[in-house]
Amino acid sequence: MGGAAVLALVALLGGCSQPEPRPAPVGSQPASAVSRPAPVSPSPSPSPSPSPRASGAARLPGFVVLTEFDPRIQADIRYATAHNFVGRPITGYAEPLCLLTRKAAQALRRVQDAALAGGHSLKVYDCYRPQPAVDDFVAWAKRPGEQQTKAEFYPDVAKSRLFAEGYIGAPTSHSRGGTVDLTLVDQPAASQPPYVAGQPLVACTAPRGQRFPDNSIDMGTGFDCFDARAHTDDPRITGAARDNRHLLRRLMADAGFVNYDREWWHYKLRDETYPDTYFAAPVARSSIG
């Protein structure tokens, strides 16, 4: 495959783990955090390396539980469950919570106000992601035999090609507390059938009525779909699904979030609280400090 084709396929494994400069431990940082050096150009096919780890009691200073900060926002934290591309709960997700910096939560509250005015509500899939979870993704990618969810999340990409085609990158902006994966649901929201382990899998690129019955409004693909059709402006996504993606992007942009154009669900707060810090504390209420 040519270089141009590879770049066209660059996506983010595990909901936006795009390559970023490797942070180096700094002794003056809290035990739960590390800081990165001056930015360098990332490789399009990053090679994983051991990520920084916390020591002692890890804490997340200034973070909040989003659904307690704004109870109107819904949560469907997939990495705390077996319904994700790995097929089991991910390391570091001790509780199914959306943890974010207060600044990011305040911005999302403004988005929620605007969404409700149009008859929708936000639903988050992933928020703060601890560094050990990123390590778990990288380790999983090295085990070729573990492909029990391929039929749903990466039906058209060989697992052995995930590194070469740029689907894996570490660390991720999710570990800084200002990035969120989310969608819109109608208000009031429809019920969503629970995921049942072992149920037949359907490709995330299938029509809405065939893929997993997420109560999200139609976005053209499912969440965490490793496919070019998940790119926000992929020309194959038309009609209501295209309009819904653009609506989400407009609502988020108005509150200061920037979309990663290869994943319709991924947004990073432009003015992050911790732009140079990656945390390792688990996703748990006890981590908030």
Side-chain angles (χ1 to χ4, degrees):
M1 179 177 294
V6 170
L7 290 176
L9 286 171
V10 171
L12 309 174
L13 182 64
C16 358
S17 293
Q18 64 262 53
E20 296 192 12
R22 171 63 53 191
V26 176
S28 61
Q29 291 279 13
S32 59
V34 292
S35 181
R36 68 181 183 186
V40 295
S41 298
S43 166
S45 299
S47 296
S49 59
S51 61
R53 295 185 181 278
S55 60
R59 304 288 288 178
L60 299 172
F63 280 57
V64 299
V65 178
L66 178 65
T67 53
E68 294 175 0
F69 186 83
D70 189 339
R72 304 171 301 171
I73 298 176
Q74 301 179 36
D76 182 6
I77 308 301
R78 296 288 182 87
Y79 297 148
T81 76
H83 189 209
N84 57 63
F85 66 91
V86 175
R88 57 167 171 75
I90 304 303
T91 299
Y93 283 80
E95 299 178 61
L97 299 174
C98 171
L99 305 184
L100 289 171
T101 63
R102 182 172 294 274
K103 180 186 288 186
Q106 289 171 336
L108 283 180
R109 182 160 58 188
R110 296 195 297 273
V111 178
Q112 179 71 352
D113 289 339
L116 287 172
H120 300 102
S121 174
L122 296 178
K123 183 176 84 166
V124 294
Y125 294 114
D126 191 38
C127 302
Y128 162 70
R129 183 184 308 161
Q131 198 64 53
V134 180
D135 296 343
D136 197 4
F137 291 162
V138 171
W140 168 85
K142 293 181 176 181
R143 297 190 290 267
E146 296 183 17
Q147 300 196 51
Q148 59 266 43
T149 65
K150 174 178 172 58
E152 179 175 357
F153 293 98
Y154 52 110
D156 299 320
V157 179
K159 186 177 180 181
S160 63
R161 296 291 303 166
L162 290 176
F163 280 113
E165 295 185 3
Y167 285 88
I168 290 184
T172 170
S173 62
H174 276 279
S175 299
R176 304 197 296 256
T179 294
V180 61
D181 295 340
L182 80 174
T183 189
L184 292 169
V185 298
D186 286 326
Q187 187 64 21
S191 61
Q192 177 175 300
Y195 172 77
V196 178
Q199 70 184 61
L201 300 180
V202 178
C204 57
T205 55
R208 183 188 185 195
Q210 298 177 25
R211 60 182 186 262
F212 178 76
D214 189 332
N215 63 358
S216 169
I217 61 177
D218 189 12
M219 293 292 187
T221 74
F223 165 63
D224 255 5
C225 189
F226 302 161
D227 190 276
R229 280 165 284 195
H231 297 182
T232 308
D233 289 317
D234 187 275
R236 290 168 291 181
I237 305 302
T238 60
R242 178 193 59 203
D243 294 342
N244 290 338
R245 291 184 181 189
H246 291 176
L247 171 61
L248 178 61
R249 183 167 59 188
R250 177 177 59 79
L251 292 172
M252 294 295 285
D254 287 348
F257 287 91
V258 180
N259 174 237
Y260 179 70
D261 63 2
R262 294 174 188 259
E263 291 186 342
W264 60 258
W265 55 84
H266 172 89
Y267 287 85
K268 179 176 72 70
L269 187 65
R270 181 180 290 106
D271 185 17
E272 298 180 80
T273 301
Y274 298 108
D276 302 309
T277 305
Y278 298 82
F279 293 95
V283 177
R285 187 171 279 98
S286 60
S287 294
I288 297 175

